[in-house]
Amino acid sequence: MSRMLLALAGAAMITTGVVAQKAALKLEPIERQMPAYIQERLSAEDRVLFDKLMRVGLESAWSLVTAEGYPQNFINELTPLKSNMRMVGRARTMRYLPNRKDVREKLYSAGPQLNYKSAEEAQPGDVLVFDAGGETRAGVSGGVTTVRFLVRGGAGLVIDGAMRDVPELEAMPIQTYMRRGHASSVSPIMMSVDYQVPVRIGSVTVIPGDILVGDTTGILVIPAAIAEKVADTALEHDDQEDFQRQLLLKGESIYDVYPMNAATRKRYEEYRKQKR
Amino acid sequence: MSRMLLALAGAAMITTGVVAQKAALKLEPIERQMPAYIQERLSAEDRVLFDKLMRVGLESAWSLVTAEGYPQNFINELTPLKSNMRMVGRARTMRYLPNRKDVREKLYSAGPQLNYKSAEEAQPGDVLVFDAGGETRAGVSGGVTTVRFLVRGGAGLVIDGAMRDVPELEAMPIQTYMRRGHASSVSPIMMSVDYQVPVRIGSVTVIPGDILVGDTTGILVIPAAIAEKVADTALEHDDQEDFQRQLLLKGESIYDVYPMNAATRKRYEEYRKQKR
Amino acid sequence: MSRMLLALAGAAMITTGVVAQKAALKLEPIERQMPAYIQERLSAEDRVLFDKLMRVGLESAWSLVTAEGYPQNFINELTPLKSNMRMVGRARTMRYLPNRKDVREKLYSAGPQLNYKSAEEAQPGDVLVFDAGGETRAGVSGGVTTVRFLVRGGAGLVIDGAMRDVPELEAMPIQTYMRRGHASSVSPIMMSVDYQVPVRIGSVTVIPGDILVGDTTGILVIPAAIAEKVADTALEHDDQEDFQRQLLLKGESIYDVYPMNAATRKRYEEYRKQKR
Amino acid sequence: MSRMLLALAGAAMITTGVVAQKAALKLEPIERQMPAYIQERLSAEDRVLFDKLMRVGLESAWSLVTAEGYPQNFINELTPLKSNMRMVGRARTMRYLPNRKDVREKLYSAGPQLNYKSAEEAQPGDVLVFDAGGETRAGVSGGVTTVRFLVRGGAGLVIDGAMRDVPELEAMPIQTYMRRGHASSVSPIMMSVDYQVPVRIGSVTVIPGDILVGDTTGILVIPAAIAEKVADTALEHDDQEDFQRQLLLKGESIYDVYPMNAATRKRYEEYRKQKR
Amino acid sequence: MSRMLLALAGAAMITTGVVAQKAALKLEPIERQMPAYIQERLSAEDRVLFDKLMRVGLESAWSLVTAEGYPQNFINELTPLKSNMRMVGRARTMRYLPNRKDVREKLYSAGPQLNYKSAEEAQPGDVLVFDAGGETRAGVSGGVTTVRFLVRGGAGLVIDGAMRDVPELEAMPIQTYMRRGHASSVSPIMMSVDYQVPVRIGSVTVIPGDILVGDTTGILVIPAAIAEKVADTALEHDDQEDFQRQLLLKGESIYDVYPMNAATRKRYEEYRKQKR
Amino acid sequence: MSRMLLALAGAAMITTGVVAQKAALKLEPIERQMPAYIQERLSAEDRVLFDKLMRVGLESAWSLVTAEGYPQNFINELTPLKSNMRMVGRARTMRYLPNRKDVREKLYSAGPQLNYKSAEEAQPGDVLVFDAGGETRAGVSGGVTTVRFLVRGGAGLVIDGAMRDVPELEAMPIQTYMRRGHASSVSPIMMSVDYQVPVRIGSVTVIPGDILVGDTTGILVIPAAIAEKVADTALEHDDQEDFQRQLLLKGESIYDVYPMNAATRKRYEEYRKQKR
């Protein structure tokens, strides 16, 4: 369980006293755990970073990514297949375009389609990112290929388009973001064109190596160079927000607490000292 | 459990005999219970009214609201975060507009943003209604502010736009209707402009004090002046529909039952007499 | 549990050895069972066919339907109410048009509205298919009528439009595909015009008697004349894909396995021989 | 030139005196003339009716059609190819559906595609109405077929979908309403299914024989049985509105004129007497 | 004719020499003249300001409005009825909401509908701004009311929704921006609720008194307080761009000219000196 | 004037006799002339090819492009600024993506933005093709840059997004296809990323060097390798269609003429012989 939720649970208990014999607010914990299978396969550095990003508040992280000069880096046009699963991983990108014989023949004589290639070459903690331009009349990949990706330690799928085998994807221990499902293979409509290039997902540019953090709110795209800084600073901010939640659950006024006035800030500094 | 569902369960048992050794129809009960935390904080009058509206058929209530002269009062453009939770509450409205410096400076020097103000001033059983014009590139409010709203006895959120902290909202014991999530704060795109004025949600006008009744079908907007009448009459109608469901589950023809022919109506009147 | 999923579970166990002390991939089984109530009421032929279609891969079936000359037969514009429920059934179609007094009076003096008629005349295993042209400002049918349909052995609902009583539909043991819910009856906006004619659902033509197979990926529309052939051939193909999944779960390269190279194909033939 | 516009021009001249030496309002006349080629081929009755409908105010006609019980009979989802051309004619309807081999083979062995058939069978003053379900990835008909239709005295085209040869259609002396153009023939995507049946265009039901009146505002669908009554009454109403326009152009207040107060109504009755 | 276009014409003549005997580039002048009828009725200050804004480049003005802190002030979601007519005027705003009996009765007993009121109270140079929330199933106003507005010196119409009598509006000497036409009066769907309040048009907030400048690119919304400054500075910038256009038409490289390198800037300063 | 239209005019004259004293069909000629300024700057080969493609039927060309294996090569999602102007030219492509600081800094330190570069490097007969992913909240280029492009002999603009300075573009002698206008420069939203790579326009892949042929129906994308073959064969087919139009204008039945029956085909062969 994330620290934030523990704090909420604690606050709820305190609240019980306040509201006397009445029913207490009960806020259910949010599970934010990386699947063990993936976690164990990560590099040591990634394990530390990804663990922080599993717990971080998406909103505080967004504020920091924006402050670093990336205000357009949030994807909310796709739907996650599962509502209670956070995704953290590193972008491996592909770009699909509508079919045309000349381009297709050249590309496919040069090597395998990119859903195969990306599944085969995936590193633990990778997220496959398919830019299909929002096309939903064919799936860009499906269940069997994703089994290979899973075995390689794949951490998620992000498709600006459609996927096949949706129930099989739902049964897998990773998150999938997409527009719709479709039983059609990609071939009648599209072809994979570019591998590991900048792509557009919703209204965001994703480049290879970006760190993606997603939940039901959407997906934050963090440039790799600032991911650690964002994670650390956001967790500090989350800690403060957890404190604020506690005060609110005790019945204090939002005007004193969020944002904090001078008195509340002083109490927060006390609380921080005691925690250390 | 609502009376309607009990009736269904009863009918299902009767049906067993009819279909002999074959598998029986089993209709799972629909939970329609106001969270205790909110219910206990309601005024006596609201507790009675809201309890009826937790059980009422949205469709029979819609027919009555329409008959009273309000045929456009149903919202189905937003998505509920939870599928098995009915929302009943009283509208507290806000209107958001796209940013512009001059208006924004005037408004925000005059008082706090309206998501704070509405959370702080909320009365038990209130539903916060945010008219953001369908804009989904920024969230109008988020988790911490909603904790304050919850503590105040808030009963639901209706946003024609986006919210932050969606998993936190999902973990709360109230329903949220919205278009999408977004991790962005409201500031880069919009500003709160009007408080407790008529607003547009989907294609419906909601005014402060309206009684909102929502489930996965959508949200019925009941003018306060007719809410009690609608609730009482609808429950009577529901009772009749439960009787009709029982007959259908016994295998009777829909032509005799729904609508009722003379013979069926007579049986219904018998049934009503016995119930009293 | 379907055979495919059993195979996956078996493969997962084998995999345990490969990844040593690390966490094993666990793929959750997908439930694909026809409700007993419906199954028992089917004709003998349908029971065999529908049982196969409950287990078949939607994607392999799609490939075969396409190969037979039907490349446009997949619906993915509607949303299923339940995520873990496959629908198999036979289309009983209706066409709705916007209201106009002259047509409406003629039609409704000639007989009952088509949602009543179709519920009353439904045969076990039928799926009611409502072409409402995507109109979502009124529901074409609702809970009570669907109770009659259920009692008759109805197997599913497909609505290019909206339905009333969504929570009641969610509580029923059949799948519903639709665009949105609406509490309004159909009367203020639309009228039922045609019964058992070709209709458009999403971008697919559905004719009476078509076999519909749906899950969360969407709905495959199989012309009745080829349904058995499609089911049998697809199951064979699924068997091969299960074998391929096993190899992938053991850590083999996708380049050898999917599609199969000569060596893998040989192993597959061995495996097939042993299975018999 | 229509009588209404003559009235406006007259009013403008009067206004000149009022505004003294300042520039006068000049309202350009709207041309509303049926192409001579069509007009001469109409039956005597149609010539009288269609002539009235070329001049009638679409808005007053709409009010009357609504008052007769047809409030949903206005199409505004399609775009006219020409901005200054009114269309009046009688609906000849066709319904297209997405391709499927079985239906297609049966239909096309039974007779020619419906765009050919409708062009060949068209009567003077007919408007071809193609319900293609909004599909714009293929044109349902094109230039050559429309030449045949023109020669037959065709008066307009209404397509809920796309057409080929748009510049050729623009060069023809009739109006075309559609969603987009497309160079593709209909064959790869759709097939013509029904002839002279009720169809859906935008959100309106059109039946064979309906009288269609269109300009840049959209298309009013008038049931044939009330067309003459609507035309006559609307022209009377237009006459009154022309009188009101004259008063407004003289500088009178809208509060006295539109709607008319008692004094203005008296003057209008005077004016009517003198006109006779 | 605007100065910019004169410059272009001049440049084109110069170019003739360069391209020798080949055909010369001919850039047609853009007409940007306020209708005399309106211009003469404006206050002296408005006449000067509006004249500048008839000539200003919308793009340079946009840059300055953005630089002043208003980056969201451009409307491009509506369609102008005429392609060659610039609109300049002062916003008079109205807000429409979906009908509901209680609100409607209260409002309409208090005074006339706002399309009448705004036409009657309009000052010369006003632009009526109707926020109908994008609703296109009914027109918010029509021809007769707009005649009154015209007589009052009205300068334009901006409707986030639909209008009646579109051909009549096309024949008027002012520009209209809207989504679609509709023959329906506003009454069956909407009601006018607020007068002279901030409204949303497309994704822009418009407040009463804003200066609107529109052409086929869209509508720039200039807060009144900065309109003069924006006009003057933009015209200077346009002058520079005209100089740059001249150089490009002579065949110079864009790399030297746009933006200007040091040598080009020197030549521009020379040119400015000579012009004075 | 194109040969096709001449044929139509001729046919109309013949028709006069047939319909006796009645009004004759008059089909206005479609102008299809390349601007002299561009034509003179083309290479000899291009002049011949482009001249054919100015006259060719877009629909017959589409059929041939499809027959060569390119059924997805027609763009109809964009709007042409002028209705009576055909565009023929060679694609010079650019790809834009949403802004992000890291990518943007790297790209823009490496060279000028691609709208400048493409204008500067354009060859006579080029069409600039901007893939902005449909984004309409900023213009990718504008008037001044397009002047440079024009001087270089540019033949058209195709933007899956928006442009600035729309009236200036309308005044230029080339066609522009786009989604909307916007006064904003590209900088706040997007950056140019790739030059002369395959791009997506609507639902079509365009590669550098493709021959684009557009009119109000849309834009046909012809791979360069087959452009000449397509042009020649399509013109032959057009010749046959012109013959068919003549017969139809004479009043012959479409069943005999389109497609041609044996007798008609014989007459066509006669006609062909005489023409040579």
Side-chain angles (χ1 to χ4, degrees), chain D residues 226-244:
Chain D
I226 61 169
E228 189 154 354
K229 178 178 171 191
V230 164
D232 290 335
T233 317
L235 284 173
E236 272 174 52
H237 182 77
D238 291 345
D239 188 58
Q240 177 186 310
E241 282 212 346
D242 287 349
F243 177 78
Q244 292 170 302

Side-chain angles (χ1 to χ4, degrees), chain B residues 95 97-104 106 191, chain E residues 34 42 46 49-50 53 65 68-70 72-75 87-94 123-131 149 155-158 196-201 203-214 219-228 230:
Chain B
R95 184 174 168 235
L97 285 176
N99 268 334
R100 46 184 292 166
K101 200 181 59 170
D102 47 3
V103 177
R104 185 183 182 96
K106 201 179 304 174
M191 56 194 174
Chain E
M34 196 143 208
L42 294 176
D46 278 1
L49 175 62
F50 286 17
L53 292 171
V65 168
E68 292 282 332
Y70 300 91
Q72 292 178 257
N73 273 24
F74 195 78
I75 300 164
M87 177 189 79
V88 174
R90 180 173 282 108
R92 183 173 290 269
T93 68
M94 283 155 283
Q123 295 302 310
D126 275 2
V127 171
L128 298 187
V129 177
F130 297 85
D131 171 0
F149 175 60
L157 297 165
V158 174
Q196 293 285 57
V197 300
V199 297
R200 178 197 301 263
I201 301 295
S203 52
V204 180
T205 297
V206 180
I207 68 173
D210 276 344
I211 305 301
L212 307 182
V213 186
I219 307 168
L220 181 65
V221 178
I222 314 179
I226 62 170
E228 189 154 355
V230 163

Side-chain angles (χ1 to χ4, degrees), chain C residues 2-19:
Chain C
S2 84
R3 223 180 64 246
M4 187 189 79
L5 267 300
L6 272 169
L8 274 175
M13 278 182 289
I14 298 165
T15 313
T16 318
V18 174
V19 299

